[in-house]
Amino acid sequence: MEAINNFLLLLDSYLGSAVYFPYILLGVGIFFTLYLGFPQVRFFKHAWKVVGGKFDKKGAQGDTSHFQALSTALSGTVGTGNIGGVALAIFLGGPAALFWMWVTAFLGMTTKFVEVTLSHKYRVKTEDGSMAGGPMYYMDRRLNMKWLAVIFAVATIISSFGTGNMPQINNIAQSMEMSFGFDPMLTGGVLAILLAMVIIGGIKRIAAVTSRIVPIMGVLYVIGALSVILYNLDQIGPSFAAIFTDAFTGSAATGGFLGATFAYAFNRGVNRGLFSNEAGQGSAPIAHASARADEPVSEGLVSILEPFIDTIIVCTLTGLVILSSGVWNEKHENVFSRTDLQVIAGNYNDTLDADRQELYHYLNNTGESSIETFTGTIQVRDGAAVSDGYTMLHARSVAENVRFIVAGEDPYTGTLRIDNGRLVKEDIVIVGDSLVHSAALTSIAFSNGFLGDAGEYIVPISLMLFAFSTAIAWSYYGDRAVVYLFGQKGVMPYRIIYVAGFFVASFADTTLVWTLSYVAIVLMTLPNLLGIMLLRREMKDTVKAYWQDFDAEQAKRKESEQ
């Protein structure tokens, strides 16, 4: 299992985590933004009117309304990434990461406009009368590149489990256990039943549910976020200053945060931006293909709003909660994760400037650090280390007040072997003060507002709603990919396996699934970006024709009213 995981991580290093990937993603967004004349700005107001149904036409083919299609797509994108993903981006790249998430979202508004329009244009009606669309259909029907469509569809099915299913319920179950003491298997069982009841009803039931969940979870999260932001209002100005200043200079070392290079913050911000709003990945077009509309561009206009709502609004709120509360660069007591733990040779203190510089270069791999990993033994008595010559790093910070615990809560006494910076003994639990990240960081931040400690409960509740709605949406994405590959006969077996995987992941390790998902996401994104670039001229002509017809219809309407 470990060997497979390491292979997938290596493969991902040449794909999503590679230096070139953010530039390709942003490059396509920049190209279409200029090529189509900033549609995310020019058509923004019109898009809201389309969502409101102002230009709906009777008899238009489709399964859902514009608003329901938007809600389904948003339920797939507004998920754990908006809560834990933003916190992870700031943890890794500092305040600058939020700036690059904004850039990705702004350009992604255009990218999503293009991919949704083309996918809606080449959608088909399936055997059961429902609509099916997505990048695989324009790759096949328009570009005659079935091999590329198959790669995309297979990657979509893998991502439905690795992005929308197993990690989501795993996060929900862990959060419910930590916050309320609920057994993970119980949480998984109850939600698996609810999931089955929703997705077996197909897109109409999915759309009906998501169109109700998305507004509720949005309002709840916004209220909770504002309770922190308004409480720390005096820190909003400095937070924005840090975002813009660090975006071009590299994240400065502050508090427990040891800083990040420009490249590090840029890469983390762009990648988290993609994982948040999925612009360019080709997933949301599958949901939008179900919308009742005869003009593909009208549904493309609706999709412009997704990155705006998902990233520029929701992710920004999360980022400001974390930055204004100040918890992002403070150390907090937590149980150390082995994956975030490393032991280096020598004694370092992150309150000393010289040590901070050395640690900065080491953690950011600048090539200017002389720090080496520690190999040797640590003597421990009554849970505390009594030997030195090493420094324990956890979550990119110097760990403090470290305690070693074994067999529940008993302090450990004995010798610990460290091999190349890693603790060998498996049954030791390490507790101490360090930086924290992901949902845990967001949870701490939400307790620093008007709601006090009660505010931290907003995170697990929001996480449950966000993640569950994501699982619903991604079941439909995988469903349509199965229809493309195997026909309608493959849908029910897929749904059964999807629900079963959802339940099992509530109490199982999903590390391998996450790693596989990293690869699958890129195998969706790169073919999709290639496809829309090949159809750039058709896209421009389609947009031009839409506005000509729209203007003509509006002129006729005015004449008839007169």
Side-chain angles (χ1 to χ4, degrees), residues 416-481:
L416 294 177
R417 175 70 185 173
I418 308 296
D419 185 15
N420 196 28
R422 299 295 178 184
L423 179 64
V424 175
K425 194 172 178 60
E426 292 293 334
D427 60 346
I428 293 291
V429 175
I430 306 175
V431 178
D433 297 339
S434 73
L435 295 181
V436 296
H437 59 77
S438 301
L441 176 58
T442 309
S443 182
I444 293 172
F446 267 83
S447 66
N448 284 262
F450 286 114
L451 299 177
D453 292 340
E456 68 179 85
Y457 293 110
I458 291 176
V459 172
I461 294 172
S462 297
L463 188 64
M464 182 183 69
L465 292 173
F466 283 20
F468 184 66
S469 65
T470 297
I472 294 173
W474 271 95
S475 73
Y476 180 68
Y477 299 161
D479 179 307
R480 297 297 89 178

Side-chain angles (χ1 to χ4, degrees), residues 469-532:
S469 65
T470 297
I472 294 173
W474 271 95
S475 73
Y476 180 68
Y477 299 161
D479 179 307
R480 297 297 89 178
V482 166
V483 168
Y484 173 78
L485 292 171
F486 308 109
Q488 199 65 33
K489 65 180 181 295
V491 171
M492 190 53 67
Y494 166 79
R495 290 175 178 171
I496 293 172
I497 296 172
Y498 191 86
V499 173
F502 188 78
F503 171 65
V504 171
S506 65
F507 54 86
D509 184 8
T510 60
T511 301
L512 181 62
V513 179
W514 259 123
T515 308
L516 181 61
S517 179
Y518 296 151
V519 176
I521 287 172
V522 182
L523 292 180
M524 290 177 67
T525 305
L526 292 179
N528 182 49
L529 295 179
L530 172 63
I532 63 177

Side-chain angles (χ1 to χ4, degrees), residues 49-56 557:
K49 294 180 180 179
V50 175
V51 172
K54 184 175 182 178
F55 308 115
D56 285 358
R557 181 177 296 181

